[in-house]
Amino acid sequence: MACRISELVLGCREPEVLARFWCEVLDFVVLGREDDGSIEIGPREGFGGAQPTLFLSRREAPEPGKPRLHIDVNATDRGQEAELERLLALGARPADIGQTGEESWHVLADPEGNEFCLLKARLNPL
């Protein structure tokens, strides 16, 4: 009964530049690109291994009062809704950052207000 860190999300102005840098540093490869210029990099074997991926989220400028790095988690042994219930019972709370309600993830805050996302599982629950 747990989550695992699946992605570290870094807000940045130039995802291409950081992707090249971190791919060299970590021996990662580009795993995907978004229409807005964001890039996901990770181990050569892809998402779901022992290491989290690094999602370079394109931002024109740092958002005031918001850290540039946040964690994405995936449930390891249950579906997203069951994991959401568990996280809320542990003290997480929903965080509104302007979602539309159509997202496949939930934005939450830990007991000190640090935002993180519970992703729709890209791995099958165990």
Side-chain angles (χ1 to χ4, degrees), residues 44-66:
R44 294 179 184 283
E45 54 275 2
F47 182 86
Q51 295 185 72
T53 63
L54 184 56
F55 189 86
L56 304 165
S57 180
R58 189 171 190 297
R59 302 279 182 263
E60 288 302 319
E63 297 173 44
K66 183 172 179 165

Side-chain angles (χ1 to χ4, degrees), residues 6 12-13 21 28 42-43 51 55 58 63 75 78-79 90 93 95 103 108 111-112 115-116 120:
S6 54
C12 60
R13 288 184 187 98
F21 173 79
F28 276 11
Q51 295 185 72
F55 189 86
R58 189 171 190 297
E63 297 173 44
R78 68 193 75 214
L90 289 172
R93 62 186 185 279
E103 294 81 7
L108 303 168
E112 289 197 6
E115 293 170 2
F116 67 99
K120 183 173 182 173

